[in-house]
Amino acid sequence: MNKPNVLSFITGRRPVKKVQDGNLLYLDGTPLLGALKMTKPALIGMAVLMAVAAAVGIWVFSQYYDATANAPKRAQEELQANLTREVNLGLPTLSGFVGADNETIIEAMNQTGETIVNTTSEDEAAAGDLELSKLPADVGLDQAAAMKLQGVSKLSPAEAALLLNGAWTMNVVRTGTEASLRIHYCDLTATSPEDAISKAMEAEGFPAETATESGVDDAGNNFQTGKMDVNGLSCTWRVSVCSLSAVYDVKGFPETAQYVGIRLSY
């Protein structure tokens, strides 16, 4: 079987014949005298290759343009969506756990239906302390673990908003017969430190008339503190807030967002 002649396909010329003159054998040079001309199939093939090359070039340019022009816009839109999405913060009412042991607290939190993770360290457990963390409903355990391992300040703004909005951490620190119940979370919708404090007091049921002091502490945190009786025990409550930017270095968050700490001691 004869192999296809590529030159013949491109130029349209027939393969060169061999001419014998006596004992001499040489190639017929007649075909070389004509003008080079591509065949119709060759022209079609070249047109197809040029069209493919043009399509690839357009696709590469579109990807480059999308990455440089549209990606920042999409990132900002994703951040705003995560900041403003409706979430159930579901703060535990600390006064309901006054006098309760760790097992009772864990059982009560597990019955809320929220994603609660026991993040108590070995040292904390040995000391009788407890740490529980609530995850936003739309963040899985593996996803949250990977984000926290990376560090909030190293996440993209959209990822940080996804992780922080709707999350909190609760600590129980025990010293003999005394205990301190604490919650920390981010208030991304606060309009001011006073607004964040007011909402925290309302969520925990701390009556405004029980407040004994308010102002700015030595660390620069706005706070309000007071005393109330719970189950016959005298308890001291305190709500303190600071700018979220003082805790996490994340760009794009509202300037008025606050990091909130709530404490109830007895």
Side-chain angles (χ1 to χ4, degrees):
M1 181 177 179
N2 295 328
K3 296 182 178 179
N5 190 296
V6 177
L7 183 60
S8 298
F9 174 78
I10 296 176
T11 63
R13 294 177 175 177
R14 296 179 180 179
V16 179
K17 297 180 180 180
K18 295 178 181 179
V19 179
Q20 186 169 1
D21 184 6
N23 294 329
L24 296 177
L25 182 66
Y26 59 90
L27 298 176
D28 183 8
T30 303
L32 299 177
L33 301 176
L36 291 175
K37 184 178 180 181
M38 296 184 66
T39 63
K40 185 175 181 180
L43 290 173
I44 294 175
M46 181 172 289
V48 171
L49 290 176
M50 292 177 64
V52 171
V56 171
I58 292 173
W59 180 83
V60 171
F61 175 77
S62 66
Q63 294 299 307
Y64 171 79
Y65 180 81
D66 183 66
T68 57
N70 295 332
K73 179 181 178 182
R74 286 199 303 271
Q76 183 63 29
E77 291 175 348
E78 185 180 2
L79 169 61
Q80 291 303 316
N82 289 339
L83 286 173
T84 59
R85 78 189 196 280
E86 293 185 6
V87 296
N88 177 28
L89 185 57
L91 288 176
T93 303
L94 295 181
S95 59
F97 297 134
V98 171
D101 57 26
N102 290 350
E103 289 70 22
T104 300
I105 296 174
I106 293 173
E107 179 62 24
M109 295 312 306
N110 286 336
Q111 291 180 358
T112 63
E114 302 289 348
T115 304
I116 307 295
V117 184
N118 191 334
T119 51
T120 308
S121 68
E122 293 183 359
D123 291 341
E124 289 172 330
D129 300 337
L130 176 68
E131 180 177 279
L132 301 176
S133 297
K134 173 190 173 293
L135 300 181
D138 49 359
V139 177
L141 289 174
D142 293 340
Q143 184 181 13
M147 288 180 174
K148 290 188 175 183
L149 183 63
Q150 185 175 350
V152 173
S153 294
K154 294 184 179 180
L155 298 174
S156 70
E159 290 174 329
L162 179 66
L163 178 64
L164 298 177
N165 194 11
W168 50 255
T169 299
M170 175 182 176
N171 295 89
V172 180
V173 180
R174 301 183 186 278
T175 306
T177 58
E178 298 180 350
S180 178
L181 310 175
R182 308 169 185 176
I183 300 175
H184 293 91
Y185 64 95
C186 301
D187 187 344
L188 302 178
T189 62
T191 57
S192 65
E194 293 75 18
D195 177 54
I197 291 175
S198 176
K199 289 190 292 185
M201 289 176 58
E202 182 179 358
E204 289 298 319
F206 297 157
E209 59 270 18
T210 64
T212 58
E213 186 181 0
S214 64
V216 180
D217 61 21
D218 294 338
N221 301 321
N222 291 72
F223 77 94
Q224 192 158 350
T225 186
K227 292 182 177 295
M228 58 187 293
D229 290 336
V230 180
N231 300 330
L233 295 175
S234 177
C235 300
T236 300
W237 59 264
R238 180 184 177 93
V239 178
S240 58
V241 303
C242 68
S243 174
L244 186 60
S245 60
V247 180
Y248 298 121
D249 183 17
V250 180
K251 296 180 179 179
F253 277 16
E255 294 182 359
T256 55
Q258 301 291 310
Y259 186 76
V260 184
I262 305 173
R263 184 174 67 202
L264 183 66
S265 303
Y266 61 94

